[in-house]
Amino acid sequence: MTKIEPQPGIMRIKPYVGGASSVDGVANVIKLSSNENPFGPSPDAIEAFQRAGHELHRYPNTDHASLRAAIGALHKLDPARIICGVGSDEVITFLCQCYSGPGTEVIYTEHGFSMYKISALAAGATPVKVPERERMVDVDEILKAVTEQTSLVFVTNPGNPTGTMVSQAELARLARELPDHVLLVLDGAYVEYVDGFDGGARLVDKYDNVFMTRTFSKMYGLGGLRIGWGYGAPDVIDVLNRVRGPFNLSMAQQDAAEAALHDRDHVARCLSENTRLRSWLAEALAELGVPSDTSCANFILARFASADEAADCDTFLQEQGIIVRMVAGYGLPHCLRITIGDEASCRRVAHMIGKFKGGPPGSKLMLLDEDRLDDEAAT
């Protein structure tokens, strides 16, 4: 009997593992492992999603015209150059499916999003990992790795799980110096947390071989609906639409995303609170001897003295009902990625890391009232 074999590269894929959401024996956990918006989606998005429930027997439109128009209006982009997907992950898959394959190479950076390697292998391409410099994307290392076989370069900016950011000048240099046969993909899942940053849209307008991806999963709080989009040259969008399923987004997804875009007050509140609490948490942990790089996202990457200390702290936090993210799979075994939650959650995780570390006498963490924190975390 003939043995059925998968495509080359498939069996090299290690399935993606998301952040944990439960702890055995703990009823109410504080989940800070998946970079979710603690304030949830806009009430307008929830209402739009509920209204869409009355039309579940209807097929959705195939062109996402209204959503693309709303995205274009907000960001001053041509809607005809926008493609929507089931999260930006699907757009990344389209890019690898269309522009890589056997005999090609896909470059990604040392601590970059794991879906780049997965999507490259699924397309039969060879993933090429290049070093970062102190958890920062190194443009020179990327350029050194480019060969005639290179088809795609993926750069997460701001980075995940690092939270660090490549300057616009360096991005422009990378776009300028890459050969024409290489498509540079700027993954902007966390762009909304950087005030005034366009995610690379102007570079897309200037260079035909630059593409930008974005998502509704982070700032807009719609991770459960899986909605993303990309912006690129007309020829690239045409190619991607040829492999995109005609009904890849439901009307509920499209309507909720469009409503979320329009609620700028909700976005402004989420940005303000994230900025405030991110600074507080980073400073509080630094006081305990747990440093982190300046984060431009909705999490911090807390660095411990060793991989063992990070693992022990993770275990201790789970025992207290707090879930953060181990990132050894991203080459950072001595780090924990901690999502910025609401104020009670941030204070709780800082307090418990303080207990784990034996916080310095007189520190502001040691002065927090534990019973009050328990009450806040339960609300």
Side-chain angles (χ1 to χ4, degrees):
M1 185 170 62
T2 302
K3 183 179 179 182
I4 300 173
E5 294 285 352
Q7 293 282 2
I10 300 295
M11 298 311 295
R12 292 176 56 197
I13 295 173
K14 294 181 179 179
Y16 180 83
V17 178
S21 58
S22 63
V23 178
D24 290 343
V26 180
N28 297 309
V29 299
I30 297 173
K31 185 186 177 191
L32 303 175
S33 58
S34 298
N35 299 342
E36 295 157 332
N37 186 333
F39 306 107
S42 159
D44 295 345
I46 296 173
E47 182 181 349
F49 180 77
Q50 291 171 337
R51 284 199 309 268
H54 298 292
E55 299 290 329
L56 293 183
H57 58 301
R58 304 294 185 191
Y59 278 96
N61 64 59
T62 62
D63 61 6
H64 316 136
S66 183
L67 177 56
R68 289 189 295 106
I71 293 170
L74 177 63
H75 297 290
K76 297 180 173 56
L77 305 176
D78 179 1
R81 297 176 59 181
I82 294 171
I83 184 172
C84 297
V86 182
S88 54
D89 295 7
E90 187 179 42
V91 180
I92 290 167
T93 298
F94 293 157
L95 289 162
C96 287
Q97 183 179 357
C98 293
Y99 290 102
S100 70
T104 68
E105 297 172 348
V106 174
I107 291 174
Y108 66 104
T109 65
E110 182 179 5
H111 307 304
F113 185 34
S114 61
M115 284 305 300
Y116 308 147
K117 179 179 180 180
I118 290 173
S119 295
L121 288 171
T126 300
V128 177
K129 180 169 65 175
V130 302
E132 295 187 8
R133 184 181 69 255
E134 295 295 316
R135 299 164 301 280
M136 286 279 295
V137 169
D138 190 327
V139 167
D140 290 322
E141 290 290 344
I142 292 174
L143 292 171
K144 282 196 313 187
V146 173
T147 69
E148 287 296 320
Q149 287 70 48
T150 305
S151 59
L152 292 163
V153 171
F154 285 101
V155 174
T156 323
N157 199 40
N160 174 31
T162 61
T164 58
M165 191 169 171
V166 189
S167 72
Q168 296 195 55
E170 281 292 272
L171 282 182
R173 181 167 75 89
L174 178 58
R176 185 171 61 250
E177 296 185 18
L178 278 176
D180 292 342
H181 72 275
V182 178
L183 183 60
L184 171 61
V185 181
L186 304 175
D187 182 353
Y190 298 91
V191 163
E192 282 80 9
Y193 293 98
V194 185
D195 197 20
F197 179 45
D198 71 359
R202 299 289 79 80
L203 290 176
V204 177
D205 290 337
K206 186 173 183 179
Y207 299 98
D208 287 343
N209 64 330
V210 180
F211 191 92
M212 175 181 74
T213 64
R214 302 282 282 272
T215 185
F216 284 86
S217 296
K218 306 305 179 186
M219 177 65 82
Y220 293 105
L222 294 174
L225 284 186
R226 311 303 302 124
I227 311 152
W229 57 280
Y231 178 63
D235 289 349
V236 174
I237 295 298
D238 175 66
V239 169
L240 301 185
N241 273 320
R242 292 171 186 269
V243 300
R244 178 181 63 83
F247 303 111
N248 64 323
L249 286 187
S250 69
M251 285 312 303
Q253 288 169 293
Q254 295 177 56
D255 291 351
E258 187 173 345
L261 277 178
H262 292 312
D263 190 349
R264 305 316 298 169
D265 288 342
H266 183 73
V267 170
R269 175 187 173 233
C270 293
L271 175 60
S272 175
E273 284 296 279
N274 181 81
T275 302
R276 178 178 71 88
L277 293 168
R278 182 181 63 199
S279 296
W280 183 88
L281 183 59
E283 184 179 329
L285 295 189
E287 185 178 348
L288 293 166
V290 183
S292 58
D293 297 311
T294 299
S295 174
C296 299
N298 67 337
F299 58 86
I300 63 171
L301 185 68
R303 300 199 307 274
F304 291 81
S306 67
D308 286 343
E309 185 185 33
D312 289 345
C313 185
D314 180 59
T315 299
F316 177 79
L317 291 175
Q318 288 191 45
E319 291 170 351
Q320 315 309 313
I322 301 170
I323 307 174
V324 298
R325 184 73 183 266
M326 292 283 292
V327 285
Y330 285 92
L332 296 160
H334 62 298
C335 298
L336 296 177
R337 192 189 69 187
I338 306 173
T339 302
I340 305 304
D342 59 15
E343 182 161 353
S345 298
C346 287
R347 288 183 176 274
R348 181 71 178 177
V349 72
H351 182 67
M352 287 304 169
I353 291 176
K355 288 190 70 174
F356 171 79
K357 294 284 288 185
S363 77
K364 60 184 175 184
L365 290 176
M366 296 297 288
L367 296 174
L368 292 175
D369 180 77
E370 186 170 348
D371 291 335
R372 179 174 62 81
L373 286 170
D374 285 334
D375 292 341
E376 288 178 349
T379 60

